[in-house]
Amino acid sequence: MLPLIRKHTPKSGKDIIAQDEAITQLRSFILNYKKQKKKAVLLYGPTGTGKTSSAHALAKELDLEIFEINASDFRNKNQINEKLGSAINQYSLFSKGKLILVDDIDGLSGTKDRGAVTEIIKLMQKSTFPIILTAINPYDQKFSSLRNKTILVQFKPLGVNDTASFLEKICKDEKLTFTLDILKSIARRSGGDLRAAINDLEILSTVKDEITKESLEELGIREKEDTIINALLKIFKSTDPKIAINAFDYVNENLDQQMLWLDENLPKEYEKPADLQRAYDKLSRADIFSRRIRRWQHWRFLVYINALITAGIAVSKDKKYNKFVQYKPTGRILKLWWAKQKSMKKKAIAEKIAHHTHTSKREAIKSMPYFQIMFKKDKQLASKLAQEFDLDKDELTWLKK
């Protein structure tokens, strides 16, 4: 029996929900590929918004063969030429057109993979087939050269109603009993990730053909126990470093999120000032190591970070506290994410302006307010500058705002 995620895979562009503008741009790129100045399109947006599904759906709709590789599958020029290069140079087996999908280029990381991005650009420019790349965050510094050679297409986070509507369609097709309120609850839990919402629906439907509030609550409790809440209990409610050290091993949260959870809940758990001071000292040292990884790509520091934020914080207290604490996530995660996205977009635009005005990126950033005024006040000038600076639609919209 096929999983729901595969059974309800989109068959054409119209089956992709709430991404009409992105689908129109992607279809236009594929159909007019030979006329395109840029030979690849970069689809970006949060997980589960339809980036990969769109490539496959349009390949079916337009009767094209699709060749898919994941960026994590290669790490150097030879591997890229072996996989991507051969796909570009080889014609379709069935004498029809072909799409090349390079999925999840966020998987390319650090100095080790820097040559990989350069090689992808070289192969892109020689390709006779449309190339589609996908990423969560295209404004990472490592993609600066790639952004200038691709058309950026944004996939926006899905709203609760959009996700719930798609879940409703699945329930009707699968003859599952449901209420719209329960489907909206599943949608909210997914945070705009349709894939996660469908997987949750499948878990609930395996017990019985009815989606109830009780089954949803059971799922929520189990997930919390298996993830971040259980990890915090191992750290905060123990003074044994052997128990705490593995707390985050099976937690589906990245390092930044783990540290923000700890930062938010430490003051609620550790009452004694001396305990709190020692714990925050460990957390701050971990943050220093994290910054060194970002700056110098010294990934061996990860083992020190994990030791500091687990065993280090656990042994910072003289004895464990027996009180009950309801651990809560911080609101800073979303704020930090948006701030980072805004900053990276600004830097990406500044790079293009700096390149075309023969100045430094720092000077371009300083001049950004003046460019924003020009783009808002004079449409004709804005159009000329956008063409001169090679700005895409998304970057143009940002400047006008």
Side-chain angles (χ1 to χ4, degrees):
M1 184 174 166
L2 282 175
L4 291 180
I5 196 74
R6 288 185 61 191
K7 194 173 179 181
H8 295 272
T9 298
K11 303 295 190 297
S12 68
K14 66 180 182 181
D15 296 329
I16 303 292
I17 64 167
Q19 304 292 358
D20 293 350
E21 186 178 349
I23 293 297
T24 300
Q25 288 178 269
L26 181 56
R27 186 185 286 111
S28 175
F29 167 78
I30 296 169
L31 293 175
N32 302 300
Y33 177 69
K34 292 181 180 179
K35 300 176 185 177
Q36 298 285 353
K37 181 180 176 184
K38 296 180 178 179
K39 296 299 181 182
V41 64
L42 175 54
L43 312 181
Y44 72 95
T47 301
T49 50
K51 301 184 295 294
T52 305
S53 297
S54 297
H56 284 274
L58 285 175
K60 288 179 183 176
E61 178 187 316
L62 302 172
D63 193 28
L64 300 172
E65 181 184 342
I66 186 164
F67 180 87
E68 179 180 355
I69 55 176
N70 193 290
S72 60
D73 292 341
F74 47 71
R75 283 288 181 265
N76 54 52
K77 290 182 180 180
N78 291 335
Q79 291 174 342
I80 291 171
N81 274 314
E82 183 183 336
K83 296 186 179 182
L84 184 58
S86 61
I88 286 171
N89 295 321
Q90 190 177 52
Y91 283 94
S92 168
L93 293 172
F94 306 103
S95 300
K96 57 183 180 180
K98 181 164 72 172
L99 287 181
I100 297 172
L101 173 62
V102 184
D103 207 12
D104 190 24
I105 62 168
D106 300 276
L108 299 173
S109 59
T111 54
K112 188 189 290 185
D113 297 335
R114 200 163 286 161
V117 173
T118 305
E119 193 65 19
I120 288 172
I121 292 171
K122 286 181 182 177
L123 291 169
M124 272 167 34
Q125 293 169 336
K126 294 191 295 184
S127 177
T128 55
F129 304 108
I131 295 179
I132 301 172
L133 311 165
T134 72
I136 294 173
N137 177 20
Y139 294 103
D140 193 300
Q141 181 64 34
K142 64 190 175 189
F143 298 135
S144 58
S145 57
L146 190 63
R147 283 195 305 271
N148 295 331
K149 304 292 183 183
T150 58
I151 298 170
L152 267 65
V153 175
Q154 182 182 17
F155 277 67
K156 297 174 182 177
L158 299 177
V160 170
N161 290 336
D162 293 321
T163 304
S165 177
F166 194 81
L167 295 180
E168 182 180 1
K169 179 179 178 297
I170 293 176
C171 286
K172 288 177 179 177
D173 290 346
E174 301 295 324
K175 295 181 172 50
L176 300 173
T177 304
F178 67 94
T179 66
L180 195 55
D181 286 343
I182 299 299
L183 297 186
K184 285 185 176 181
S185 295
I186 296 173
R188 287 189 197 95
R189 286 161 46 83
S190 71
D193 184 339
L194 183 60
R195 189 186 304 116
I198 295 172
N199 287 335
D200 278 351
L201 181 68
E202 178 151 42
I203 291 169
L204 295 173
S205 67
T206 54
V207 180
K208 54 183 178 178
D209 296 336
E210 183 179 5
I211 313 301
T212 65
K213 185 178 180 182
E214 289 73 22
S215 60
L216 182 63
E217 288 173 352
E218 287 172 10
L219 177 65
I221 292 168
R222 191 185 71 251
E223 284 189 347
K224 285 181 181 177
E225 289 175 348
D226 288 342
T227 55
I228 194 74
I229 302 299
N230 200 35
L232 294 179
L233 287 170
K234 288 179 182 177
I235 296 167
F236 290 154
K237 298 301 185 184
S238 172
T239 54
D240 186 345
K242 292 180 182 178
I243 293 174
I245 194 74
N246 299 317
F248 290 120
D249 282 3
Y250 301 101
V251 172
N252 189 25
E253 302 277 359
N254 65 37
L255 177 61
D256 289 337
Q257 290 171 328
Q258 292 169 13
M259 293 176 72
L260 284 169
W261 273 90
L262 289 165
D263 178 48
E264 178 72 18
N265 293 288
L266 255 177
K268 299 172 185 175
E269 181 74 32
Y270 288 18
E271 293 176 344
K272 295 180 181 178
D275 290 353
L276 195 58
Q277 185 270 326
R278 286 192 290 264
Y280 268 119
D281 179 61
K282 304 296 190 302
L283 193 60
S284 64
R285 288 172 184 268
D287 187 54
I288 291 170
F289 278 118
S290 179
R291 290 173 186 275
R292 286 175 180 171
I293 289 175
R294 288 192 183 96
R295 186 171 182 180
W296 297 313
Q297 304 298 311
H298 291 174
W299 294 98
R300 65 180 181 276
F301 289 156
L302 276 175
V303 67
Y304 304 137
I305 294 173
N306 183 66
L308 286 164
I309 66 174
T310 56
I313 289 177
V315 301
S316 294
K317 53 187 177 291
D318 293 326
K319 61 180 182 180
K320 65 181 179 181
Y321 297 90
N322 294 319
K323 63 179 181 177
F324 171 76
V325 177
Q326 186 174 2
Y327 304 129
K328 294 182 178 179
T330 175
R332 288 175 57 203
I333 295 174
L334 188 58
K335 291 176 184 176
L336 287 170
W337 189 85
W338 278 115
K340 187 177 181 181
Q341 293 291 308
K342 186 177 179 182
S343 174
M344 286 183 169
K345 191 169 286 190
K346 183 178 181 179
K347 288 178 181 177
I349 295 170
E351 279 182 7
K352 289 186 176 181
I353 293 174
H355 174 73
H356 289 280
T357 57
H358 306 288
T359 185
S360 68
K361 188 167 77 172
R362 180 178 292 182
E363 289 300 318
I365 289 173
K366 285 181 183 178
S367 305
M368 196 71 75
Y370 301 106
F371 283 108
Q372 287 178 303
I373 291 169
M374 285 188 279
F375 274 81
K376 287 177 185 176
K377 300 291 184 183
D378 192 330
K379 290 184 180 179
Q380 191 173 1
L381 178 61
S383 178
K384 289 180 180 178
L385 288 175
Q387 190 173 3
E388 178 66 27
F389 296 150
D390 196 23
L391 300 175
D392 60 39
K393 186 178 179 181
D394 194 41
E395 291 166 337
L396 185 60
T397 302
W398 189 92
L399 275 169
K400 286 180 179 178
K401 285 182 180 178

